[in-house]
Amino acid sequence: MRLNRFLARCGIASRRRSDELIQSGVIRINGEVVDEPGRVVAIGGDQVEYQGRSVVLPDLYEYVLLHKPAGYLVSRGDPEGRPTVYDLVSGLHPGTVPVGRLDMETTGLLLLTDDGDLGYRLLHPRFVVDKHYVAVVGGDPVEEKLDLLRCGIDLDDGPTAPAEIRIDERWGSGFKKRARLSLCIHEGRKRQVRRMLRAVGYPVRELTRVEFAGLRIEGLAEGHYRHLAADEVNRLKSQVGL
Ligand code: URA
């Protein structure tokens, strides 16, 4: 990228003012004063300095991890005026969208980004990204039924891939029997976990996504969000071949 454009993109000055700064000899590249506005900067290679400070390009894309509460739609807007996840995150880039969906009543980890390549790959079945859920179900699950999900089961939109599933806790009695299950699936079909568990006789009462592509929701309170750190973004990208 040409130096004047680079400085403007980094927010140092307008393109024209950047030309003046460069010509006045206050910009260094790799320690040497450079006074040609058209000099090409190797992004990630050259070290550009202004007033003794290193000048770096702001991130092109944003990556936001939201702990979605129940009662929020994963949608840009709602004709019925119900709250959406966009009400929870301020100042998003205009092109930032959720990577996949959670049902209105599902809580947990939702990634939002304007990095279309990454978002596309994280959702594509070819890249087999892990999604971990915790579900509270009605009933008293038996392993034989859960084995059906471990092998893959036929839903109305086709067979599911094998799921990992474990019973963590049981409580209650009679009609109030409940169990907490941990599941890991790789697909992201509509209401998939709810439909899988209902198909084997255990309706979901509560559902939370606790992990997605190695990102965990732990430590982030419901309704809160944070931007991913550079190393988290790099790990996400390397999982999907970027
Ligand atoms: N599976 C579901 O059933 N619902 C979700 O929100 C996510 C996965």
Side-chain angles (χ1 to χ4, degrees):
M1 187 182 299
R2 288 157 70 91
L3 182 56
N4 52 1
R5 178 153 176 255
F6 178 85
L7 293 178
R9 281 280 309 280
C10 294
I12 297 298
S14 66
R15 182 85 71 91
R16 180 168 312 160
R17 175 79 185 120
S18 295
D19 285 346
E20 291 165 10
L21 283 175
I22 296 163
Q23 281 156 352
S24 71
V26 294
I27 306 292
R28 289 173 183 266
I29 298 184
N30 303 327
E32 296 203 350
V33 170
V34 171
D35 60 5
E36 311 145 47
R39 165 77 179 269
V40 171
V41 178
I43 309 295
D46 287 332
Q47 279 284 335
V48 181
E49 275 175 58
Y50 170 52
Q51 294 181 329
R53 294 235 189 98
S54 153
V55 181
V56 284
L57 272 177
D59 287 339
L60 198 52
Y61 296 122
E62 67 182 356
Y63 306 87
V64 173
L65 194 154
L66 168 70
H67 190 161
K68 178 192 170 299
Y72 284 80
L73 279 176
V74 179
S75 166
R76 178 63 77 175
D78 180 43
E80 294 172 38
R82 289 170 296 181
T84 79
V85 291
Y86 289 91
D87 297 325
L88 297 168
V89 190
S90 56
L92 284 178
H93 293 177
T96 293
V97 292
V99 178
R101 296 193 170 258
L102 292 177
D103 306 330
M104 178 126 173
E105 292 317 315
T106 302
T107 61
L109 194 158
L110 186 69
L111 178 69
L112 298 108
T113 185
D114 50 353
D115 181 343
D117 251 5
L118 179 69
Y120 172 79
R121 286 176 181 230
L122 286 171
L123 294 178
H124 198 288
R126 177 156 67 98
F127 293 101
V128 192
V129 165
D130 285 352
K131 301 174 177 104
H132 292 258
Y133 294 89
V134 171
V136 173
V137 297
D140 195 4
V142 294
E143 294 294 344
E144 293 71 32
K145 290 278 186 69
L146 301 182
D147 281 344
L148 299 172
L149 303 179
R150 293 182 181 118
C151 294
I153 194 171
D154 264 329
L155 295 179
D156 49 15
D157 55 353
T160 62
E164 287 166 39
I165 179 160
R166 185 183 75 214
I167 304 170
D168 290 330
E169 199 185 343
R170 301 172 193 270
W171 67 95
S173 57
F175 290 119
K176 294 261 174 74
K177 277 189 176 169
R178 297 281 182 269
R180 199 178 65 244
L181 310 177
S182 292
L183 296 96
C184 174
I185 64 172
H186 308 298
E187 302 154 291
R189 282 145 59 178
K190 200 166 178 210
R191 299 180 72 80
Q192 183 166 345
V193 172
R194 291 175 196 272
R195 289 189 295 136
M196 284 166 58
L197 287 165
R198 176 166 285 284
V200 293
Y202 309 120
V204 169
R205 307 288 183 211
E206 288 170 33
L207 185 61
T208 304
R209 181 153 70 190
V210 291
E211 190 175 328
F212 174 71
L215 297 169
R216 298 181 59 80
I217 201 63
E218 248 167 21
L220 190 63
E222 252 186 49
H224 288 226
Y225 67 93
R226 68 176 178 85
H227 288 262
L228 294 188
D231 62 325
E232 293 177 302
V233 174
N234 290 340
R235 277 202 297 275
L236 276 183
K237 288 184 175 174
S238 67
Q239 274 185 65
V240 293
L242 288 173

